[in-house]
Amino acid sequence: MNILMKLVIATKNQNKVREILPVLEPLGVQKVSTLNDYPEIHNIEETGTTFDENASIKARAVCVHTGLPSLADDSGLEIDALNGEPGVYSARYGGSSLDDTGRNQLVLNKMIHVPDSDRAGRFVCVMALAFPDGRLYTRTGTCEGLITHEPRGTHGFGYDPIFYLEEHRKTMAELPLAEKNRISHRAQALHKIADLLASLPETKT
Ligand code: IMP
């Protein structure tokens, strides 16, 4: 079913917008706005303890403010040997003084004695879609890998240089961006949201 609707993407990150639009526009999602169009919406506090909670908090808050369907995401890296850390704290792991390189080094230091057999981890992305009538849907995408012993590769961002994809024999930062965007946790969550939208009864906003 084709859907004619306005949608707010709850991000200021143009890279995310560029990734999301080509997937949703063919479904009839028109008139997309982002948080850049609503400068009065300041930092929404991510007070949840799960990706699902944080994505839902953001989607609901933006939907209530704008009166429009809103799509938000939350993502990060879960490492089994670190009991799921950095998890929802991925962006601020180790405190605000660290940059991506520092955070990667912190993870590698914490795992210095962890054998190869126990270095599994996954990128997780939850996308939440909130509607003004109160409906809230969440969909999760995951991407499994292993934590390396040293950073490798220059593409991507965040934890990509220490995340090894066995199938590709490369770290996420060694994959060309187009390939990463095809297989990533974000892409998988997004395609599930697209399937959801396509299955909803016609929604006009
Ligand atoms: P956010 O959901 O965009 O706020 O991302 C949270 C944090 O998770 C980022 O700051 C990164 O540290 C990490 N992260 C999320 N997605 C990726 C990815 O695709 N590659 C590497 N790190 C990621």
Side-chain angles (χ1 to χ4, degrees):
M1 177 76 66
N2 242 8
I3 297 158
L4 286 175
M5 67 177 205
K6 298 175 189 162
L7 178 75
V8 186
I9 302 176
T11 185
K12 289 183 179 166
N13 183 332
Q14 282 307 312
N15 291 320
K16 285 190 184 171
V17 177
R18 272 196 285 274
E19 204 176 328
I20 291 171
L21 278 186
V23 179
L24 297 190
E25 275 177 345
L27 293 169
V29 175
Q30 305 167 336
K31 303 223 172 182
V32 172
S33 49
T34 71
L35 288 190
N36 291 318
D37 301 304
Y38 299 95
E40 70 281 11
I41 303 181
H42 296 297
N43 275 352
I44 300 162
E45 278 212 56
E46 295 181 16
T47 51
T49 55
T50 62
F51 298 116
D52 203 287
E53 279 174 15
N54 281 337
S56 301
I57 288 169
K58 276 187 275 186
R60 271 221 175 90
V62 174
C63 178
V64 166
H65 183 93
T66 60
L68 293 171
S70 300
L71 179 70
D73 77 332
D74 195 40
S75 60
L77 175 63
E78 282 178 356
I79 301 173
D80 293 346
L82 300 180
N83 297 316
E85 286 184 9
V88 291
Y89 305 107
S90 290
R92 47 203 147 120
Y93 198 49
S96 54
S97 63
L98 293 185
D99 58 7
D100 280 348
T101 307
R103 275 186 285 278
N104 284 336
Q105 208 47 60
L106 175 63
V107 168
L108 295 180
N109 290 345
K110 286 194 177 209
M111 293 185 66
I112 203 151
H113 297 301
V114 177
D116 285 354
S117 53
D118 295 333
R119 297 181 77 91
R122 67 207 54 79
F123 281 123
V124 181
C125 174
V126 176
M127 289 205 176
L129 181 62
F131 286 93
D133 63 9
R135 279 175 300 152
L136 176 81
Y137 301 92
T138 60
R139 292 293 182 271
T140 303
T142 55
C143 188
E144 298 284 337
L146 297 172
I147 307 306
T148 59
H149 292 272
E150 76 265 333
R152 266 198 343 247
T154 54
H155 303 299
F157 68 97
Y159 299 96
D160 285 343
I162 62 167
F163 190 83
Y164 182 76
L165 298 148
E166 282 185 293
E167 196 185 321
H168 294 79
R169 298 181 174 207
K170 284 187 166 85
T171 67
M172 196 71 116
E174 291 175 315
L175 276 191
L177 197 57
E179 179 67 3
K180 174 186 170 182
N181 286 345
R182 203 178 59 75
I183 63 161
S184 78
H185 45 310
R186 236 180 317 281
Q188 295 188 44
L190 179 59
H191 282 97
K192 289 184 185 174
I193 287 284
D195 288 348
L196 166 74
L197 277 173
S199 74
L200 290 176
E202 188 160 358
T203 309
K204 290 195 173 151
T205 57

